[in-house]
């Protein structure tokens, strides 16, 4: 279903190019991840503040960190959105005005919200903030989108249950910016309509306390004439509501032709290695498609690259139709990633070919490692001698954040990353 | 003292007379094409008959249009709203703003109740939907008594609270029971089996059994116990909560009727003779307990529970 959309493309020098490029929106759980996401090619990042955001377990930003993040992002021409997408309780009302004013003052571009309390409070006290409707509202049809447009919202994030054809209809009927998920973990429930955590662990899922009960195992029974009959046999994997992670890399061309305004990667809890890998791959896909949509093909190395940081299986979910059982996970809910983050490049000396690297996981001479980053093509090499900062030879880089030096076969740049196979 | 409305869920048109006799003031009905987790399936013909039956007995009829709608049903919402206005339904229960816009266009005088199951968590949001046209907000079940009373104190709309029955914990658009059977290789059984009744998930760690079922709106998982606060109605009656709901989903009609009678007695005592209510409330609670089927216990839900995040 790749319909060429002439509203987003133009013929330049006899070749069609996409002139309305979608925003690539990346998660950033802390300041370091924000900088990595922006450096690796995100057009915008979304972050959580200390309050009103849905990841109570993420590091989350102080107002000062938000300010620093905005300054960093703006140097790259990138935007910062802050999630404030809890369903607030009465007790969350005091302090909201000050918090929203502080976000506006810190230079944040917009907030992602679900609760009308926060929408209207932001309009009143921090009118410069764009207001985007969170996926927590489970927005599934064009008329509901129309409602929120009439409420003055700049953008809506669609429910994860909305497919490509439905996005096309929404885009046709309502003139509003659309943000849609392209990659990352999925709620298997309609977002905002799940309170499993509240019932099972007394943690409020709609205020950031979600404990992912949908990824636990349950036994399915049927009550029949007072008897409990198991609906599984010995050796069967137990029942689960566990959805595979979303991965729409092959659908990016369709997303772009649909005119989706912002392509969103989920994962504020994910590592900088994950953020860097996923952002850099989607950056390449979007840029390649927009530059020459009519001759574009997905490169299998991009698909493989995404696999290197995946700890769960992936599926297209609702994008192409109704998800069958292959979109769900039974028995095992996660696995080790095939690769692990080993080091962050701090510098490179072109004279000697020696790189300075901050250790992020154990490595030693003889290990084969892979380097990647926005300025370089991926390359692998075997590590030879490793030295510490003072030039002493080491048998291994064994300490977290330890700074070490070793020879590399191609030039590197700060923020390039080194990974190794598990 | 003003009495809250006693709102119940009939299983059929015939059940409505029985519930009227038992003391119900209003019923909520509908069909799964538009409504969520209904106790009975009411076709248009049934809805018309139900409205007649209920109005004859002085009861209000609210019709559920609280599903999460996708584009495919948006165009037919107007026809259903017009039908409901035509047969004289007293209110439409909605969660999706598409319904709100449709009612504005099609039947602007129709009363609206805002009900999303989980997101009516603060008084501002209730009043917001009130300004958009709702006359009533149905509160999230995950609120404690203090939060409910505080919302009522600030509310510019009627406030409805579920006082009894199963609560929905989870709704997915996915076919989770069907998918599990497919995964097990029981493909031939899927269509027949996935809509059957009586299925539940067993959680070993908590020793809980969660009812689970599939319908046109996806997969629904319900609370392991029925909430029951028949002995704790005093503060809410005093605060003027407008409607108490008994949700009869997963129960037999007779159970719903008997529970309705007990709450009728509780509300009347509470409003008319508080001292006597205090003396008799333990008996009322024991009477509910005696009605519970063997696999369903009762608890007090979130009314007296601290939730963290």
């Amino acid at each position: 279903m790749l319909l060429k959309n002439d509203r987003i493309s133009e013929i330049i020098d006899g070749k069609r190019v996409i002139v309305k490029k979608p925003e690539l929106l990346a998660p950033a759980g802390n300041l370091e991840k924000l900088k990595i996401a922006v450096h690796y090619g995100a057009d915008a990042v979304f972050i959580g503040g200390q309050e009103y955001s849905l990841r109570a377990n993420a590091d989350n930003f102080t107002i000062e960190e938000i300010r620093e993040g905005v300054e960093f992002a703006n140097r790259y021409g990138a935007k910062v959105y802050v999630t404030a997408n809890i369903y607030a309780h009465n007790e969350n009302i005091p302090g909201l005005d000050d918090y929203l004013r502080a976000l506006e003052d810190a230079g944040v571009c917009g907030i992602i919200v679900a609760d009308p309390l926060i929408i209207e409070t932001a309009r009143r006290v921090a009118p410069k903030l764009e207001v985007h409707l969170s996926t927590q509202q489970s927005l599934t049809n064009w008329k509901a989108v129309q409602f929120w447009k009439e409420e003055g919202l700049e953008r809506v994030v669609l429910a994860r249950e909305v497919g490509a054809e439905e996005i096309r209809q929404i885009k046709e009927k309502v003139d509003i910016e659309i943000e849609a998920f392209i990659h990352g973990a999925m709620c298997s429930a309609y977002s905002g309509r799940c309170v499993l955590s509240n019932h099972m662990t007394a943690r409020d899922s709609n205020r950031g306390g979600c404990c992912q009960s949908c990824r636990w195992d349950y036994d399915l029974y049927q009550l029949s004439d007072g008897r409990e009959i198991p609906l599984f046999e010995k050796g069967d994997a137990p029942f689960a509501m566990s959805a595979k992670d979303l991965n729409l890399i092959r659908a990016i061309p369709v997303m772009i032709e649909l005119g989706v305004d912002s392509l969103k990667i989920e994962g504020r809890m994910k590592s900088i290695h994950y953020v860097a890998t996923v952002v850099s791959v989607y950056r390449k896909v979007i840029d390649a498609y927009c530059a020459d949509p009519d001759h574009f093909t997905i490169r299998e190395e991009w698909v493989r690259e995404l696999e290197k940081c995946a700890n769960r299986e992936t599926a297209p979910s609702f994008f192409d139709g109704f998800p069958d059982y292959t979109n769900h996970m039974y028995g095992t809910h996660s696995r080790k990633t095939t690769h692990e983050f080993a080091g962050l490049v701090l510098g490179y000396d072109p004279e000697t070919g020696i790189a300075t690297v901050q250790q992020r996981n154990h490595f030693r001479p003889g290990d084969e490692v892979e380097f990647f980053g926005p300025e370089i093509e991926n390359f692998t090499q075997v590590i030879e001698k490793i030295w510490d900062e003072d030039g002493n030879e080491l048998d291994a880089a064994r300490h977290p954040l330890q700074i070490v030096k070793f020879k590399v076969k191609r030039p590197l740049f700060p923020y390039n990353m080194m990974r190794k196979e598990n | 003292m003003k009495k809250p409305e006693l709102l119940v869920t009939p299983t059929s048109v015939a059940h409505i007379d029985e519930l009227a006799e038992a003391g119900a003031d209003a019923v909520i009905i509908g069909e799964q094409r538009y409504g969520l987790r209904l106790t009975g399936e009411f076709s248009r013909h049934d809805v018309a008959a139900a409205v007649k039956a209920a109005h004859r007995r002085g009861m209000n009829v609210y019709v559920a249009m609280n599903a999460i709608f996708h584009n495919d049903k948006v165009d037919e919402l107007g026809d259903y709203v017009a039908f409901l206005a035509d047969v004289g339904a007293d209110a439409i229960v909605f969660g999706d703003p598409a319904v709100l816009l449709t009612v504005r266009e099609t039947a602007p005088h129709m009363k609206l109740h805002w009900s999303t199951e989980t997101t009516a968590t603060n008084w501002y949001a209730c009043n917001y939907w009130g300004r958009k046209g709702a006359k009533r907000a149905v509160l999230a079940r995950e609120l404690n008594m203090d939060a409910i009373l505080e919302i009522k104190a600030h509310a510019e709309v009627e406030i409805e609270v579920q006082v009894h029955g199963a609560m929905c914990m989870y709704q997915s658009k996915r076919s989770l029971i069907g998918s599990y059977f497919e995964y097990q290789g029981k493909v031939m059984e899927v269509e027949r089996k996935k809509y059957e009744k009586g299925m539940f998930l067993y959680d070993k760690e908590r020793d809980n059994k969660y009812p689970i079922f599939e319908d046109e709106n996806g997969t629904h998982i319900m609370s392991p116990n029925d909430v029951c606060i028949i002995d704790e109605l005093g503060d809410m009656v005093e605060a003027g909560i407008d409607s108490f709901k008994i949700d009869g989903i997963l129960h037999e009609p007779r159970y719903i009727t008997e529970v309705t009678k007990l709450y009728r007695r509780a509300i009347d005592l509470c409003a008319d003779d508080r001292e006597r209510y205090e003396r008799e409330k333990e008996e009322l609670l024991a009477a509910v307990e005696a009605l519970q089927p063997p696999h369903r216990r009762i608890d007090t839900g979130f009314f007296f529970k601290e939730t963290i995040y």
Side-chain angles (χ1 to χ4, degrees):
Chain A
M1 192 205 80
L2 188 57
L3 304 165
K4 288 180 190 173
N5 182 343
D6 55 15
R7 280 174 300 187
I8 61 158
S9 60
E10 276 176 22
I11 308 294
I12 296 174
D13 294 335
K15 187 178 85 173
R16 195 170 78 96
V17 293
I18 306 291
V19 289
K20 195 193 140 304
K21 251 180 155 175
E23 169 184 275
L24 177 58
L25 174 56
N30 60 31
L31 202 46
E32 185 185 38
K33 292 175 193 172
L34 179 150
K35 290 177 179 175
I36 291 293
V38 169
H39 185 74
Y40 275 72
D43 299 306
V45 292
F46 63 101
I47 65 176
Q50 303 278 338
E51 288 174 276
Y52 302 102
S53 134
L54 266 189
R55 294 285 180 275
N57 292 325
D59 292 347
N60 292 332
F61 287 65
T62 63
I63 293 293
E64 271 325 296
E65 288 169 332
I66 292 174
R67 193 182 299 280
E68 188 182 337
V70 168
E71 278 164 16
F72 182 90
N74 288 350
R75 281 204 294 279
Y76 284 78
K79 292 174 177 169
V80 175
Y81 307 127
V82 175
T83 57
N85 54 348
I86 64 165
Y87 279 107
H89 288 219
N90 302 334
E91 66 198 29
N92 304 116
I93 297 176
L96 179 61
D97 292 18
D98 288 343
Y99 179 70
L100 294 171
R101 280 194 199 100
L103 293 182
E104 183 184 53
D105 184 61
V108 165
C109 177
I111 53 174
I112 304 172
V113 296
D115 194 319
L117 160 74
I118 303 181
I119 296 172
E120 293 206 327
T121 307
R123 285 284 181 244
R124 184 165 50 79
V125 304
K128 277 188 284 187
L129 290 174
E130 282 186 20
V131 178
H132 299 178
L133 194 73
S134 164
T135 196
Q136 280 290 99
Q137 273 282 0
S138 276
L139 207 49
T140 48
N141 68 72
W142 64 265
K143 199 152 188 153
V145 173
Q146 178 72 39
F147 173 85
W148 292 109
K149 180 186 163 63
E150 287 170 15
E151 288 300 286
L153 270 54
E154 279 81 3
R155 178 187 289 189
V156 295
V157 188
L158 296 179
R160 288 175 242 221
E161 287 78 8
V162 173
E165 179 57 22
E166 291 172 308
I167 296 177
R168 190 181 60 72
Q169 293 163 358
I170 291 170
K171 262 286 169 196
E172 262 174 26
K173 288 188 186 279
V174 192
D175 180 22
I176 191 169
E177 285 185 20
I178 298 286
E179 179 175 308
F181 285 93
I182 54 171
H183 201 88
M186 303 280 281
C187 284
S188 64
Y190 278 111
S191 293
R193 301 296 182 98
C194 171
V195 286
L196 291 177
S197 287
N198 303 54
H199 284 264
M200 295 182 185
T201 64
R203 295 178 64 94
D204 189 353
S205 48
N206 290 326
R207 282 189 291 172
C210 171
C211 60
Q212 306 200 326
S213 312
C214 60
R215 295 180 181 181
W216 300 348
D217 290 329
Y218 303 89
D219 286 331
L220 181 64
Y221 285 87
Q222 187 168 24
L223 197 66
S224 178
D225 297 329
R227 287 191 314 131
E228 296 178 353
I229 299 160
L231 297 180
F232 55 94
E233 275 148 46
K234 226 177 155 185
D236 277 355
F239 181 94
M241 301 80 106
S242 188
K244 286 184 184 173
D245 285 2
L246 183 68
N247 177 341
L248 290 182
I249 183 170
R250 294 178 196 279
I252 295 301
V254 177
M255 281 276 195
I256 293 174
E257 298 289 353
L258 287 171
V260 174
D261 299 272
S262 179
L263 305 178
K264 183 173 203 166
I265 299 164
E266 182 278 344
R268 285 196 286 126
M269 306 282 279
K270 299 282 194 184
S271 67
I272 61 169
H273 176 237
Y274 178 93
V275 170
T277 303
V278 177
V279 168
S280 60
V281 169
Y282 281 102
R283 180 76 276 153
K284 285 172 189 162
V285 177
I286 294 167
D287 288 350
Y289 186 79
C290 291
D292 190 2
D294 298 338
H295 301 97
F296 173 86
T297 50
I298 283 279
R299 281 159 60 176
E300 289 307 312
E301 70 202 56
W302 293 335
V303 179
R304 281 197 303 274
E305 184 79 0
L306 285 178
E307 283 292 310
K308 292 173 186 170
C309 65
N311 70 336
R312 286 166 57 84
E313 288 177 36
T314 61
S317 181
F318 285 89
F319 193 75
D320 293 324
F322 198 77
D324 67 359
Y325 78 95
T326 62
N327 281 265
H328 302 122
M329 295 181 86
Y330 301 100
T332 49
H333 300 290
S334 65
R335 54 173 160 82
K336 258 184 99 100
T337 53
T338 58
H339 290 68
E340 66 183 8
F341 185 28
L344 181 68
V345 174
L346 300 180
Y348 169 78
D349 183 347
E351 301 276 302
T352 59
I354 288 177
T356 306
V357 172
Q358 186 185 56
Q359 194 262 30
R360 293 300 179 102
N361 249 313
H362 184 278
F363 62 91
R364 61 170 67 229
D367 283 350
E368 188 180 74
V369 295
E370 179 182 36
F371 289 95
F372 72 101
E375 302 88 351
I376 61 170
E377 287 289 322
N378 288 23
F379 68 92
T380 56
Q381 72 166 65
V382 174
I383 295 180
E384 292 167 358
K385 283 181 182 171
I386 303 176
W387 300 282
D388 69 12
E389 281 185 287
D390 304 322
N392 303 308
E393 195 174 332
L394 301 171
D395 67 334
R398 43 178 94 250
H399 306 298
L401 304 182
Q402 182 180 14
I403 293 173
V404 300
K405 292 171 183 283
F406 53 90
K407 239 180 143 68
V408 290
K409 68 181 190 188
R410 290 190 207 158
L412 290 174
F413 298 83
Y415 296 125
N416 285 172
M417 288 189 189
M418 180 177 102
R419 57 162 84 104
K420 64 172 197 174
E421 228 170 302
N422 268 321
Chain B
M1 191 181 293
K2 177 192 129 183
K3 288 181 191 175
E5 164 191 273
L6 180 55
L7 170 62
V8 302
T9 60
T11 57
S12 65
V13 178
H15 194 205
I16 288 176
D17 266 334
E18 215 178 294
L19 291 170
E21 208 61 46
D25 301 310
V27 291
I28 175 163
I29 59 171
E31 58 178 294
Q32 58 172 279
R33 186 161 184 82
Y34 305 108
L36 293 177
R37 298 176 286 277
L38 294 156
T39 303
E41 182 73 4
F42 289 73
S43 66
R44 288 191 182 205
H45 181 265
D46 295 335
V47 169
V51 171
K52 277 208 186 92
H55 284 178
R56 216 165 34 231
R57 307 294 302 248
M59 289 198 291
N60 281 337
V61 177
Y62 310 139
V63 180
M65 289 185 75
N66 56 348
I68 297 171
F69 294 104
H70 285 253
N71 290 345
D72 60 342
K73 285 186 190 167
V74 168
D75 288 337
E76 63 184 82
L77 295 178
D79 187 58
Y80 194 60
V81 167
F83 159 75
L84 295 178
D86 209 42
V87 298
D90 297 285
I92 287 174
V93 180
F94 83 101
D96 191 324
V99 174
L100 183 116
L101 292 188
T102 305
V103 169
R104 274 188 205 163
E105 293 157 9
T106 312
H109 300 297
M110 175 63 78
K111 264 180 86 176
L112 283 165
H113 294 179
W114 176 55
S115 172
T116 57
E117 200 85 29
T118 56
T119 71
T121 51
N122 65 71
W123 55 263
Y124 192 101
C126 296
N127 292 343
Y128 170 86
W129 290 106
R131 289 195 298 280
K132 299 299 154 197
K135 291 282 179 290
R136 173 183 294 189
V138 181
L139 297 190
R141 278 59 170 169
E142 297 73 34
L143 299 176
N144 63 30
M145 188 68 83
D146 292 343
I148 291 168
L149 298 176
E150 193 182 342
I151 289 175
K152 178 59 194 170
H154 289 83
E156 295 152 8
V157 289
E158 294 173 9
I159 296 296
E160 176 184 315
V161 174
Q162 183 183 340
V163 292
H164 190 92
M167 300 176 272
C168 178
M169 307 197 292
Y170 172 101
Q171 184 192 346
S172 175
K173 184 173 169 65
R174 295 164 187 262
S175 165
L176 291 173
I177 300 173
S179 288
Y180 184 57
F181 290 146
E182 273 174 19
Y183 165 76
Q184 290 174 320
K186 298 176 182 170
V187 180
M188 297 302 286
E189 292 184 29
V190 172
E191 280 311 312
R192 178 172 63 81
K193 195 95 184 151
K194 74 177 188 181
Y195 293 125
E196 280 187 13
K197 286 184 177 170
M199 281 186 266
F200 66 86
L201 300 177
Y202 180 58
D203 172 353
K204 287 189 198 78
E205 207 176 315
R206 286 161 201 79
D207 192 23
N208 273 337
K209 293 166 186 169
Y210 312 116
I212 180 170
F213 63 93
E214 253 188 75
D215 65 12
E216 187 172 339
N217 295 297
T219 307
H220 313 263
I221 303 175
M222 309 299 287
S223 59
N225 302 320
D226 287 324
V227 66
C228 172
I229 53 157
I230 194 163
D231 56 334
E232 297 282 358
L233 300 177
D235 289 348
M236 288 196 292
V237 170
E238 219 155 89
I241 296 291
D242 302 273
S243 180
F244 285 165
K245 181 183 182 185
I246 296 171
D247 196 323
I249 190 163
L250 309 172
H251 283 290
E252 297 298 322
R254 209 186 80 83
Y255 170 93
I256 302 169
T257 307
E258 293 306 314
V259 170
T260 301
K261 286 180 192 166
L262 294 170
Y263 274 88
R264 178 75 274 155
R265 170 111 186 117
I267 293 167
D268 289 347
L269 282 179
C270 207
D272 301 335
D273 188 350
R274 184 67 188 270
E275 274 174 30
R276 192 157 163 208
Y277 172 70
E278 296 300 329
R279 281 200 310 274
E280 288 189 16
K281 65 186 192 181
E282 295 302 324
E283 280 170 44
L284 291 167
L285 181 65
V288 172
E289 266 167 350
L291 290 171
Q292 290 298 120
H295 59 283
R296 289 289 290 179
R297 289 191 300 264
I298 54 171
D299 66 17
T300 54
F302 291 90
F303 283 97
F304 306 104
K305 194 147 110 185
E306 201 58 50
T307 302
I308 56 163
Y309 56 98

